[in-house]
Amino acid sequence: MVRWKLMIVVAWSLTLGALSGLAMLPGGLGRLFKGPDAGTPVARALVGGPFTLTAHDGKRVSDRDFRGKFMLVYFGFTYCPDVCPAGLQVISAALQQLGPKGEIFAPLFISVDPERDTPADLARYVQSFHPRLVGLTGTAEEIGAVAKAYRVYYKKVKDEKSTIGYTIDHTSLIYIMDPSGNYVTHFTHATPLDQMVDRLRKFL
Ligand code: NI
């Protein structure tokens, strides 16, 4: 009887120990199930980071070149059939509605298809959406590192229907980073235009 009680006490304290151990992980248990909450210090620490990439005009640029502006960061690729165009269209339309005040936002399109997306391809592509949209590409390693920093998933997938033989599955979030480069919040490519305009207006 005494031994049973002891075992129960031991088991219980082990459980508590394990739980408090998990709770001490960044973000605690909640993060494991809900993902980073927008705007919390945890999310700020988890999303984003330094990068140096090649812009669509061939120049090397880093995250530091956008300090003082809110970066709108979107990852995708120029051959993307519908998701990327939808995301870029909503960003462009929102910036158009905000007018000159919207220049505090720096829209960036980072290619997850660096093998195919040359700076020249990106130049043609981004200019078809918005004159201030900056297309960024780089080596496979550079893209891998920035995608990891932004918690972006991307994977090449065989696609027989595609004329180019493959497509790329990718995260389709539009991140807002503050003028110091810290994560603030995010949208998706499916966020309605009026909702995006309202949210962006709050930063003006
Ligand atoms: Ni896409």
Side-chain angles (χ1 to χ4, degrees):
M1 191 63 186
V2 171
R3 194 175 292 172
W4 268 113
K5 271 187 188 165
L6 183 66
M7 279 175 70
I8 290 167
V9 169
V10 168
W12 181 236
S13 40
L14 283 176
T15 308
L16 279 182
L19 284 175
S20 57
L22 278 176
M24 282 188 295
L25 287 170
L29 276 175
R31 189 172 68 84
L32 297 176
F33 301 107
K34 286 187 295 191
D37 289 323
T40 64
V42 169
R44 257 175 237 166
L46 287 175
V47 178
F51 61 78
T52 302
L53 297 166
T54 304
H56 67 256
D57 60 3
K59 288 188 186 133
R60 295 288 282 172
V61 297
S62 85
D63 56 300
R64 305 197 65 83
D65 294 322
F66 301 101
R67 288 293 180 274
K69 298 215 174 207
F70 287 85
M71 294 188 293
L72 299 181
V73 186
Y74 187 61
F75 289 76
F77 64 114
T78 64
Y79 284 86
C80 184
D82 41 32
V83 172
C84 289
L88 293 173
Q89 253 155 31
V90 76
I91 292 171
S92 307
L95 291 177
Q96 212 148 12
Q97 285 202 19
L98 293 172
K101 281 185 177 174
E103 286 178 23
I104 62 161
F105 298 106
L108 309 181
F109 179 67
I110 302 179
S111 175
V112 289
D113 190 7
E115 242 178 85
R116 266 187 316 205
D117 286 341
T118 64
D121 292 333
L122 279 170
R124 275 190 296 275
Y125 190 70
V126 295
Q127 279 153 20
S128 71
F129 288 98
H130 195 276
R132 289 197 302 103
L133 180 60
V134 176
L136 296 167
T137 188
T139 64
E141 290 73 28
E142 287 165 348
I143 295 300
V146 68
K148 192 174 174 198
Y150 278 81
R151 312 253 146 183
V152 162
Y153 161 88
Y154 65 104
K155 192 176 194 299
K156 202 189 264 193
V157 183
K158 257 196 186 152
D159 183 2
E160 307 297 348
K161 283 180 285 176
S162 162
T163 51
I164 38 143
Y166 71 91
T167 185
I168 295 180
D169 284 346
H170 66 94
T171 304
S172 189
L173 298 179
I174 301 161
Y175 296 100
I176 300 191
M177 311 301 283
D178 74 13
S180 306
N182 297 311
Y183 169 84
V184 185
T185 188
H186 63 261
F187 304 108
T188 79
H189 69 279
T191 299
L193 176 59
D194 52 352
Q195 203 177 311
M196 187 176 292
V197 172
D198 283 349
R199 301 268 304 273
L200 292 182
R201 234 186 257 286
K202 294 198 173 85
F203 297 104
L204 300 181

PDB file of all heavy atoms in Angstrom, residues 1-35:
ATOM      1  N   MET A   1       0.840  -1.213   0.000  1.00  0.00           N
ATOM      2  CA  MET A   1       0.000   0.000   0.000  1.00  0.00           C
ATOM      3  C   MET A   1       0.865   1.250   0.000  1.00  0.00           C
ATOM      4  O   MET A   1       0.716   2.130  -0.838  1.00  0.00           O
ATOM      5  CB  MET A   1      -0.902  -0.038   1.258  1.00  0.00           C
ATOM      6  CG  MET A   1      -2.005   1.003   1.250  1.00  0.00           C
ATOM      7  SD  MET A   1      -3.148   0.691  -0.145  1.00  0.00           S
ATOM      8  CE  MET A   1      -4.183   2.125   0.001  1.00  0.00           C
ATOM      9  N   VAL A   2       1.830   1.249   0.913  1.00  0.00           N
ATOM     10  CA  VAL A   2       2.733   2.403   0.989  1.00  0.00           C
ATOM     11  C   VAL A   2       3.521   2.542  -0.317  1.00  0.00           C
ATOM     12  O   VAL A   2       3.692   3.615  -0.858  1.00  0.00           O
ATOM     13  CB  VAL A   2       3.693   2.265   2.201  1.00  0.00           C
ATOM     14  CG1 VAL A   2       4.759   3.328   2.165  1.00  0.00           C
ATOM     15  CG2 VAL A   2       2.896   2.338   3.484  1.00  0.00           C
ATOM     16  N   ARG A   3       3.923   1.371  -0.834  1.00  0.00           N
ATOM     17  CA  ARG A   3       4.711   1.386  -2.065  1.00  0.00           C
ATOM     18  C   ARG A   3       3.892   1.959  -3.230  1.00  0.00           C
ATOM     19  O   ARG A   3       4.371   2.734  -4.034  1.00  0.00           O
ATOM     20  CB  ARG A   3       5.161  -0.040  -2.385  1.00  0.00           C
ATOM     21  CG  ARG A   3       6.251  -0.076  -3.444  1.00  0.00           C
ATOM     22  CD  ARG A   3       6.757  -1.463  -3.668  1.00  0.00           C
ATOM     23  NE  ARG A   3       7.494  -1.981  -2.533  1.00  0.00           N
ATOM     24  CZ  ARG A   3       7.907  -3.243  -2.440  1.00  0.00           C
ATOM     25  NH1 ARG A   3       7.620  -4.097  -3.387  1.00  0.00           N
ATOM     26  NH2 ARG A   3       8.574  -3.641  -1.391  1.00  0.00           N
ATOM     27  N   TRP A   4       2.606   1.596  -3.317  1.00  0.00           N
ATOM     28  CA  TRP A   4       1.728   2.111  -4.376  1.00  0.00           C
ATOM     29  C   TRP A   4       1.622   3.635  -4.311  1.00  0.00           C
ATOM     30  O   TRP A   4       1.758   4.311  -5.318  1.00  0.00           O
ATOM     31  CB  TRP A   4       0.317   1.523  -4.240  1.00  0.00           C
ATOM     32  CG  TRP A   4       0.160   0.274  -5.041  1.00  0.00           C
ATOM     33  CD1 TRP A   4      -0.019  -0.986  -4.558  1.00  0.00           C
ATOM     34  CD2 TRP A   4       0.190   0.183  -6.459  1.00  0.00           C
ATOM     35  NE1 TRP A   4      -0.090  -1.871  -5.591  1.00  0.00           N
ATOM     36  CE2 TRP A   4       0.036  -1.180  -6.782  1.00  0.00           C
ATOM     37  CE3 TRP A   4       0.353   1.106  -7.493  1.00  0.00           C
ATOM     38  CZ2 TRP A   4       0.023  -1.631  -8.088  1.00  0.00           C
ATOM     39  CZ3 TRP A   4       0.330   0.663  -8.787  1.00  0.00           C
ATOM     40  CH2 TRP A   4       0.168  -0.696  -9.076  1.00  0.00           C
ATOM     41  N   LYS A   5       1.402   4.092  -3.041  1.00  0.00           N
ATOM     42  CA  LYS A   5       1.262   5.553  -2.871  1.00  0.00           C
ATOM     43  C   LYS A   5       2.529   6.255  -3.327  1.00  0.00           C
ATOM     44  O   LYS A   5       2.494   7.256  -4.021  1.00  0.00           O
ATOM     45  CB  LYS A   5       0.988   5.889  -1.404  1.00  0.00           C
ATOM     46  CG  LYS A   5      -0.479   5.887  -1.033  1.00  0.00           C
ATOM     47  CD  LYS A   5      -0.660   6.389   0.377  1.00  0.00           C
ATOM     48  CE  LYS A   5      -2.101   6.214   0.821  1.00  0.00           C
ATOM     49  NZ  LYS A   5      -2.217   6.355   2.264  1.00  0.00           N
ATOM     50  N   LEU A   6       3.653   5.652  -2.960  1.00  0.00           N
ATOM     51  CA  LEU A   6       4.935   6.244  -3.317  1.00  0.00           C
ATOM     52  C   LEU A   6       5.071   6.310  -4.839  1.00  0.00           C
ATOM     53  O   LEU A   6       5.475   7.322  -5.405  1.00  0.00           O
ATOM     54  CB  LEU A   6       6.070   5.412  -2.703  1.00  0.00           C
ATOM     55  CG  LEU A   6       7.477   5.970  -2.932  1.00  0.00           C
ATOM     56  CD1 LEU A   6       7.631   7.303  -2.186  1.00  0.00           C
ATOM     57  CD2 LEU A   6       8.522   4.979  -2.444  1.00  0.00           C
ATOM     58  N   MET A   7       4.657   5.187  -5.499  1.00  0.00           N
ATOM     59  CA  MET A   7       4.770   5.152  -6.954  1.00  0.00           C
ATOM     60  C   MET A   7       3.891   6.219  -7.601  1.00  0.00           C
ATOM     61  O   MET A   7       4.277   6.840  -8.581  1.00  0.00           O
ATOM     62  CB  MET A   7       4.397   3.762  -7.482  1.00  0.00           C
ATOM     63  CG  MET A   7       5.561   2.800  -7.351  1.00  0.00           C
ATOM     64  SD  MET A   7       5.122   1.140  -7.836  1.00  0.00           S
ATOM     65  CE  MET A   7       4.934   1.339  -9.605  1.00  0.00           C
ATOM     66  N   ILE A   8       2.697   6.408  -7.029  1.00  0.00           N
ATOM     67  CA  ILE A   8       1.792   7.421  -7.585  1.00  0.00           C
ATOM     68  C   ILE A   8       2.421   8.802  -7.435  1.00  0.00           C
ATOM     69  O   ILE A   8       2.439   9.605  -8.377  1.00  0.00           O
ATOM     70  CB  ILE A   8       0.396   7.348  -6.915  1.00  0.00           C
ATOM     71  CG1 ILE A   8      -0.308   6.060  -7.368  1.00  0.00           C
ATOM     72  CG2 ILE A   8      -0.436   8.566  -7.255  1.00  0.00           C
ATOM     73  CD1 ILE A   8      -1.526   5.717  -6.563  1.00  0.00           C
ATOM     74  N   VAL A   9       2.997   9.043  -6.257  1.00  0.00           N
ATOM     75  CA  VAL A   9       3.626  10.347  -6.016  1.00  0.00           C
ATOM     76  C   VAL A   9       4.792  10.559  -6.989  1.00  0.00           C
ATOM     77  O   VAL A   9       4.924  11.611  -7.603  1.00  0.00           O
ATOM     78  CB  VAL A   9       4.110  10.461  -4.549  1.00  0.00           C
ATOM     79  CG1 VAL A   9       4.998  11.676  -4.368  1.00  0.00           C
ATOM     80  CG2 VAL A   9       2.923  10.525  -3.607  1.00  0.00           C
ATOM     81  N   VAL A  10       5.589   9.495  -7.170  1.00  0.00           N
ATOM     82  CA  VAL A  10       6.737   9.613  -8.071  1.00  0.00           C
ATOM     83  C   VAL A  10       6.264   9.882  -9.502  1.00  0.00           C
ATOM     84  O   VAL A  10       6.754  10.778 -10.186  1.00  0.00           O
ATOM     85  CB  VAL A  10       7.616   8.339  -8.005  1.00  0.00           C
ATOM     86  CG1 VAL A  10       8.637   8.332  -9.129  1.00  0.00           C
ATOM     87  CG2 VAL A  10       8.314   8.271  -6.658  1.00  0.00           C
ATOM     88  N   ALA A  11       5.239   9.105  -9.928  1.00  0.00           N
ATOM     89  CA  ALA A  11       4.734   9.264 -11.299  1.00  0.00           C
ATOM     90  C   ALA A  11       4.188  10.675 -11.498  1.00  0.00           C
ATOM     91  O   ALA A  11       4.450  11.327 -12.516  1.00  0.00           O
ATOM     92  CB  ALA A  11       3.634   8.238 -11.566  1.00  0.00           C
ATOM     93  N   TRP A  12       3.453  11.159 -10.507  1.00  0.00           N
ATOM     94  CA  TRP A  12       2.845  12.487 -10.605  1.00  0.00           C
ATOM     95  C   TRP A  12       3.920  13.576 -10.689  1.00  0.00           C
ATOM     96  O   TRP A  12       3.843  14.484 -11.503  1.00  0.00           O
ATOM     97  CB  TRP A  12       1.913  12.703  -9.410  1.00  0.00           C
ATOM     98  CG  TRP A  12       1.205  14.020  -9.397  1.00  0.00           C
ATOM     99  CD1 TRP A  12       1.224  14.944  -8.422  1.00  0.00           C
ATOM    100  CD2 TRP A  12       0.371  14.567 -10.433  1.00  0.00           C
ATOM    101  NE1 TRP A  12       0.466  16.029  -8.758  1.00  0.00           N
ATOM    102  CE2 TRP A  12      -0.073  15.833 -10.004  1.00  0.00           C
ATOM    103  CE3 TRP A  12      -0.033  14.104 -11.699  1.00  0.00           C
ATOM    104  CZ2 TRP A  12      -0.891  16.646 -10.776  1.00  0.00           C
ATOM    105  CZ3 TRP A  12      -0.860  14.918 -12.469  1.00  0.00           C
ATOM    106  CH2 TRP A  12      -1.281  16.161 -12.002  1.00  0.00           C
ATOM    107  N   SER A  13       4.945  13.440  -9.862  1.00  0.00           N
ATOM    108  CA  SER A  13       5.947  14.494  -9.896  1.00  0.00           C
ATOM    109  C   SER A  13       6.759  14.442 -11.190  1.00  0.00           C
ATOM    110  O   SER A  13       7.187  15.466 -11.709  1.00  0.00           O
ATOM    111  CB  SER A  13       6.864  14.464  -8.667  1.00  0.00           C
ATOM    112  OG  SER A  13       7.186  13.155  -8.335  1.00  0.00           O
ATOM    113  N   LEU A  14       6.913  13.227 -11.756  1.00  0.00           N
ATOM    114  CA  LEU A  14       7.595  13.134 -13.049  1.00  0.00           C
ATOM    115  C   LEU A  14       6.780  13.843 -14.130  1.00  0.00           C
ATOM    116  O   LEU A  14       7.304  14.554 -14.972  1.00  0.00           O
ATOM    117  CB  LEU A  14       7.808  11.671 -13.451  1.00  0.00           C
ATOM    118  CG  LEU A  14       8.954  10.941 -12.744  1.00  0.00           C
ATOM    119  CD1 LEU A  14       8.983   9.481 -13.171  1.00  0.00           C
ATOM    120  CD2 LEU A  14      10.290  11.609 -13.068  1.00  0.00           C
ATOM    121  N   THR A  15       5.438  13.636 -14.076  1.00  0.00           N
ATOM    122  CA  THR A  15       4.559  14.275 -15.054  1.00  0.00           C
ATOM    123  C   THR A  15       4.657  15.795 -14.933  1.00  0.00           C
ATOM    124  O   THR A  15       4.815  16.508 -15.923  1.00  0.00           O
ATOM    125  CB  THR A  15       3.098  13.834 -14.829  1.00  0.00           C
ATOM    126  OG1 THR A  15       3.088  12.422 -14.790  1.00  0.00           O
ATOM    127  CG2 THR A  15       2.193  14.323 -15.929  1.00  0.00           C
ATOM    128  N   LEU A  16       4.574  16.266 -13.679  1.00  0.00           N
ATOM    129  CA  LEU A  16       4.658  17.716 -13.463  1.00  0.00           C
ATOM    130  C   LEU A  16       5.986  18.254 -13.955  1.00  0.00           C
ATOM    131  O   LEU A  16       6.058  19.299 -14.584  1.00  0.00           O
ATOM    132  CB  LEU A  16       4.518  18.043 -11.965  1.00  0.00           C
ATOM    133  CG  LEU A  16       3.107  18.087 -11.414  1.00  0.00           C
ATOM    134  CD1 LEU A  16       3.147  18.465  -9.939  1.00  0.00           C
ATOM    135  CD2 LEU A  16       2.252  19.097 -12.190  1.00  0.00           C
ATOM    136  N   GLY A  17       7.035  17.490 -13.674  1.00  0.00           N
ATOM    137  CA  GLY A  17       8.376  17.911 -14.098  1.00  0.00           C
ATOM    138  C   GLY A  17       8.448  18.034 -15.605  1.00  0.00           C
ATOM    139  O   GLY A  17       8.951  19.020 -16.134  1.00  0.00           O
ATOM    140  N   ALA A  18       7.881  17.024 -16.296  1.00  0.00           N
ATOM    141  CA  ALA A  18       7.913  17.045 -17.756  1.00  0.00           C
ATOM    142  C   ALA A  18       7.118  18.223 -18.286  1.00  0.00           C
ATOM    143  O   ALA A  18       7.545  18.929 -19.208  1.00  0.00           O
ATOM    144  CB  ALA A  18       7.340  15.741 -18.302  1.00  0.00           C
ATOM    145  N   LEU A  19       5.937  18.466 -17.665  1.00  0.00           N
ATOM    146  CA  LEU A  19       5.095  19.575 -18.128  1.00  0.00           C
ATOM    147  C   LEU A  19       5.767  20.922 -17.901  1.00  0.00           C
ATOM    148  O   LEU A  19       5.763  21.783 -18.766  1.00  0.00           O
ATOM    149  CB  LEU A  19       3.728  19.551 -17.424  1.00  0.00           C
ATOM    150  CG  LEU A  19       2.759  18.483 -17.926  1.00  0.00           C
ATOM    151  CD1 LEU A  19       1.497  18.489 -17.082  1.00  0.00           C
ATOM    152  CD2 LEU A  19       2.405  18.720 -19.391  1.00  0.00           C
ATOM    153  N   SER A  20       6.383  21.077 -16.702  1.00  0.00           N
ATOM    154  CA  SER A  20       6.998  22.383 -16.459  1.00  0.00           C
ATOM    155  C   SER A  20       8.221  22.549 -17.350  1.00  0.00           C
ATOM    156  O   SER A  20       8.550  23.651 -17.766  1.00  0.00           O
ATOM    157  CB  SER A  20       7.349  22.555 -14.983  1.00  0.00           C
ATOM    158  OG  SER A  20       8.191  21.520 -14.568  1.00  0.00           O
ATOM    159  N   GLY A  21       8.849  21.424 -17.679  1.00  0.00           N
ATOM    160  CA  GLY A  21       9.977  21.501 -18.608  1.00  0.00           C
ATOM    161  C   GLY A  21       9.520  22.001 -19.963  1.00  0.00           C
ATOM    162  O   GLY A  21      10.122  22.890 -20.566  1.00  0.00           O
ATOM    163  N   LEU A  22       8.395  21.454 -20.447  1.00  0.00           N
ATOM    164  CA  LEU A  22       7.845  21.890 -21.734  1.00  0.00           C
ATOM    165  C   LEU A  22       7.430  23.349 -21.680  1.00  0.00           C
ATOM    166  O   LEU A  22       7.634  24.100 -22.627  1.00  0.00           O
ATOM    167  CB  LEU A  22       6.618  21.045 -22.099  1.00  0.00           C
ATOM    168  CG  LEU A  22       6.889  19.695 -22.746  1.00  0.00           C
ATOM    169  CD1 LEU A  22       5.583  18.947 -22.943  1.00  0.00           C
ATOM    170  CD2 LEU A  22       7.578  19.890 -24.097  1.00  0.00           C
ATOM    171  N   ALA A  23       6.854  23.724 -20.516  1.00  0.00           N
ATOM    172  CA  ALA A  23       6.357  25.086 -20.392  1.00  0.00           C
ATOM    173  C   ALA A  23       7.502  26.096 -20.449  1.00  0.00           C
ATOM    174  O   ALA A  23       7.299  27.250 -20.778  1.00  0.00           O
ATOM    175  CB  ALA A  23       5.580  25.253 -19.092  1.00  0.00           C
ATOM    176  N   MET A  24       8.708  25.625 -20.128  1.00  0.00           N
ATOM    177  CA  MET A  24       9.837  26.554 -20.137  1.00  0.00           C
ATOM    178  C   MET A  24      10.436  26.723 -21.531  1.00  0.00           C
ATOM    179  O   MET A  24      11.246  27.587 -21.754  1.00  0.00           O
ATOM    180  CB  MET A  24      10.913  26.079 -19.159  1.00  0.00           C
ATOM    181  CG  MET A  24      10.546  26.409 -17.724  1.00  0.00           C
ATOM    182  SD  MET A  24      11.865  26.078 -16.580  1.00  0.00           S
ATOM    183  CE  MET A  24      12.046  24.340 -16.686  1.00  0.00           C
ATOM    184  N   LEU A  25      10.034  25.871 -22.468  1.00  0.00           N
ATOM    185  CA  LEU A  25      10.496  26.045 -23.839  1.00  0.00           C
ATOM    186  C   LEU A  25       9.973  27.390 -24.340  1.00  0.00           C
ATOM    187  O   LEU A  25       8.956  27.868 -23.851  1.00  0.00           O
ATOM    188  CB  LEU A  25       9.928  24.945 -24.747  1.00  0.00           C
ATOM    189  CG  LEU A  25      10.520  23.553 -24.577  1.00  0.00           C
ATOM    190  CD1 LEU A  25       9.678  22.558 -25.372  1.00  0.00           C
ATOM    191  CD2 LEU A  25      11.957  23.527 -25.069  1.00  0.00           C
ATOM    192  N   PRO A  26      10.651  28.017 -25.310  1.00  0.00           N
ATOM    193  CA  PRO A  26      10.130  29.292 -25.803  1.00  0.00           C
ATOM    194  C   PRO A  26       8.677  29.155 -26.232  1.00  0.00           C
ATOM    195  O   PRO A  26       8.354  28.288 -27.023  1.00  0.00           O
ATOM    196  CB  PRO A  26      11.016  29.596 -27.015  1.00  0.00           C
ATOM    197  CG  PRO A  26      12.212  28.726 -26.860  1.00  0.00           C
ATOM    198  CD  PRO A  26      11.819  27.554 -26.012  1.00  0.00           C
ATOM    199  N   GLY A  27       7.833  29.960 -25.650  1.00  0.00           N
ATOM    200  CA  GLY A  27       6.430  29.932 -26.044  1.00  0.00           C
ATOM    201  C   GLY A  27       5.607  28.895 -25.297  1.00  0.00           C
ATOM    202  O   GLY A  27       4.402  28.920 -25.323  1.00  0.00           O
ATOM    203  N   GLY A  28       6.262  27.970 -24.631  1.00  0.00           N
ATOM    204  CA  GLY A  28       5.539  26.985 -23.835  1.00  0.00           C
ATOM    205  C   GLY A  28       4.735  26.020 -24.686  1.00  0.00           C
ATOM    206  O   GLY A  28       4.903  25.920 -25.894  1.00  0.00           O
ATOM    207  N   LEU A  29       3.836  25.293 -24.025  1.00  0.00           N
ATOM    208  CA  LEU A  29       3.046  24.271 -24.698  1.00  0.00           C
ATOM    209  C   LEU A  29       2.173  24.836 -25.801  1.00  0.00           C
ATOM    210  O   LEU A  29       2.000  24.221 -26.829  1.00  0.00           O
ATOM    211  CB  LEU A  29       2.133  23.587 -23.674  1.00  0.00           C
ATOM    212  CG  LEU A  29       2.751  22.449 -22.866  1.00  0.00           C
ATOM    213  CD1 LEU A  29       1.762  21.978 -21.819  1.00  0.00           C
ATOM    214  CD2 LEU A  29       3.117  21.300 -23.804  1.00  0.00           C
ATOM    215  N   GLY A  30       1.644  26.030 -25.532  1.00  0.00           N
ATOM    216  CA  GLY A  30       0.698  26.620 -26.481  1.00  0.00           C
ATOM    217  C   GLY A  30       1.286  26.716 -27.872  1.00  0.00           C
ATOM    218  O   GLY A  30       0.616  26.459 -28.859  1.00  0.00           O
ATOM    219  N   ARG A  31       2.579  27.043 -27.940  1.00  0.00           N
ATOM    220  CA  ARG A  31       3.211  27.243 -29.240  1.00  0.00           C
ATOM    221  C   ARG A  31       3.217  25.960 -30.066  1.00  0.00           C
ATOM    222  O   ARG A  31       3.126  25.985 -31.285  1.00  0.00           O
ATOM    223  CB  ARG A  31       4.636  27.736 -29.037  1.00  0.00           C
ATOM    224  CG  ARG A  31       5.306  28.174 -30.311  1.00  0.00           C
ATOM    225  CD  ARG A  31       6.627  28.815 -30.006  1.00  0.00           C
ATOM    226  NE  ARG A  31       7.593  27.876 -29.488  1.00  0.00           N
ATOM    227  CZ  ARG A  31       8.359  27.100 -30.242  1.00  0.00           C
ATOM    228  NH1 ARG A  31       8.245  27.153 -31.546  1.00  0.00           N
ATOM    229  NH2 ARG A  31       9.224  26.292 -29.702  1.00  0.00           N
ATOM    230  N   LEU A  32       3.321  24.836 -29.349  1.00  0.00           N
ATOM    231  CA  LEU A  32       3.389  23.569 -30.063  1.00  0.00           C
ATOM    232  C   LEU A  32       2.107  23.312 -30.837  1.00  0.00           C
ATOM    233  O   LEU A  32       2.095  22.652 -31.852  1.00  0.00           O
ATOM    234  CB  LEU A  32       3.640  22.416 -29.075  1.00  0.00           C
ATOM    235  CG  LEU A  32       4.965  22.474 -28.324  1.00  0.00           C
ATOM    236  CD1 LEU A  32       5.047  21.341 -27.323  1.00  0.00           C
ATOM    237  CD2 LEU A  32       6.134  22.391 -29.301  1.00  0.00           C
ATOM    238  N   PHE A  33       0.996  23.844 -30.335  1.00  0.00           N
ATOM    239  CA  PHE A  33      -0.286  23.569 -30.961  1.00  0.00           C
ATOM    240  C   PHE A  33      -0.813  24.725 -31.807  1.00  0.00           C
ATOM    241  O   PHE A  33      -1.489  24.509 -32.781  1.00  0.00           O
ATOM    242  CB  PHE A  33      -1.315  23.195 -29.881  1.00  0.00           C
ATOM    243  CG  PHE A  33      -0.888  22.004 -29.090  1.00  0.00           C
ATOM    244  CD1 PHE A  33      -0.446  22.126 -27.795  1.00  0.00           C
ATOM    245  CD2 PHE A  33      -0.872  20.746 -29.688  1.00  0.00           C
ATOM    246  CE1 PHE A  33      -0.027  21.013 -27.080  1.00  0.00           C
ATOM    247  CE2 PHE A  33      -0.449  19.631 -28.987  1.00  0.00           C
ATOM    248  CZ  PHE A  33      -0.023  19.766 -27.673  1.00  0.00           C
ATOM    249  N   LYS A  34      -0.508  25.933 -31.396  1.00  0.00           N
ATOM    250  CA  LYS A  34      -1.131  27.073 -32.079  1.00  0.00           C
ATOM    251  C   LYS A  34      -0.194  27.792 -33.035  1.00  0.00           C
ATOM    252  O   LYS A  34      -0.633  28.600 -33.821  1.00  0.00           O
ATOM    253  CB  LYS A  34      -1.616  28.096 -31.036  1.00  0.00           C
ATOM    254  CG  LYS A  34      -2.865  27.628 -30.304  1.00  0.00           C
ATOM    255  CD  LYS A  34      -3.411  28.740 -29.407  1.00  0.00           C
ATOM    256  CE  LYS A  34      -2.447  29.080 -28.309  1.00  0.00           C
ATOM    257  NZ  LYS A  34      -2.997  29.936 -27.277  1.00  0.00           N
ATOM    258  N   GLY A  35       1.096  27.548 -32.945  1.00  0.00           N
ATOM    259  CA  GLY A  35       2.047  28.296 -33.749  1.00  0.00           C
ATOM    260  C   GLY A  35       2.255  29.644 -33.103  1.00  0.00           C
ATOM    261  O   GLY A  35       1.550  30.013 -32.161  1.00  0.00           O
TER     262      GLY A  35
END
